[in-house]
Amino acid sequence: MPVSAFALAGRSLRISSRRPDALIAALMLPVMLMLIFVYFFGGAIDTGTAYVTYVVPGAMLLCAGFGAASTAVSVSEDMTNGVIDRFRSLDIGGIPILAGHVAASVVRNLISTTLVLAVALAIGFRPQAGPAAFLAAAGLLLTYITAISWLAAALGLLAKSPEAAGGFTFLMMFLPYPSSAFVPIETMPDWLHGFADHQPLTPVIESLRALLLDQPAGDAPWIALTWCAAITAAAVTLAGILFRTRTR
């Protein structure tokens, strides 16, 4: 990543630190939702294992979705408050500007995911992964966070206002629910199975679950990586086009 992107990532992190209410919400809301699912609904859901063990991978992806939403809002704010003109006068291109937002999003998401994992360990989650499997799970999660952060950046460029950017990211926060994140797919209505089985988040969740619990993962990790690569490539391309269009 260019030096300017590192500097811009630091700028985005400093802006986040000046909004403690939004930062606390992004950090705590996924934890609260995980606790709600475990303690309010977990006793009624049969997953064949302790529910906290089942739900942690989905909670991590839900956490990443909340974190990416703030990236879309930050990008949209930059596009509407005139700061982009100042950056362009310094000969900073669109990709470094967006890469700074993405890098800051990855850092924020890693912090919030670590918090989710720490709380999960405190309430009974016991991963069985060895060092190699744990690193593979961390690498896959990082790849997914990067992909949806670029997608959020593109949505921030597409939106005409920060409020609209927040609305555009609703899909990213909704997608964990019609997947295997919180309940087995076979318990869903038949008409929903096709979507839940083949949407991008399901192979990511199944891969994380298998890697963390030392279970066979099958083809799920490769499918998950393919989805992440496709999302990243499409989002970076779209973001580049949208940035050039909006800054003409």
Side-chain angles (χ1 to χ4, degrees), residues 191-212:
W191 56 266
L192 192 54
H193 287 185
F195 176 79
D197 278 324
H198 298 100
Q199 64 130 311
L201 270 65
T202 294
V204 179
I205 291 166
E206 293 298 325
S207 299
L208 291 175
R209 189 173 286 136
L211 290 168
L212 291 174

Side-chain angles (χ1 to χ4, degrees), residues 33-44 51-52 119 122-124:
L33 287 173
M34 179 178 68
L35 294 175
I36 288 171
F37 272 98
V38 170
Y39 289 115
F40 291 7
F41 308 133
Y51 188 66
V52 65
V119 174
I123 63 175

Side-chain angles (χ1 to χ4, degrees), residues 51-75:
Y51 188 66
V52 65
T53 300
Y54 184 88
V55 81
V56 167
M60 290 179 175
L61 266 61
L62 187 65
C63 178
F66 279 109
S70 64
T71 303
V73 173
S74 296
V75 169

Side-chain angles (χ1 to χ4, degrees), residues 95-172:
I95 293 301
I97 293 171
L98 298 175
H101 282 287
V102 170
S105 173
V106 170
V107 172
R108 288 193 302 265
N109 272 301
L110 289 177
I111 293 171
S112 58
T113 301
T114 301
L115 179 61
V116 166
L117 183 58
V119 174
L121 290 170
I123 63 175
F125 178 59
R126 296 295 179 264
Q128 306 298 317
F134 189 83
L135 287 175
L140 176 58
L141 184 61
L142 180 61
T143 303
Y144 172 77
I145 290 172
T146 302
I148 63 164
S149 295
W150 272 110
L151 179 59
L155 292 175
L157 290 168
L158 188 63
K160 299 301 183 183
S161 69
E163 292 77 13
F168 283 176
T169 58
F170 171 77
L171 181 62
M172 291 190 297

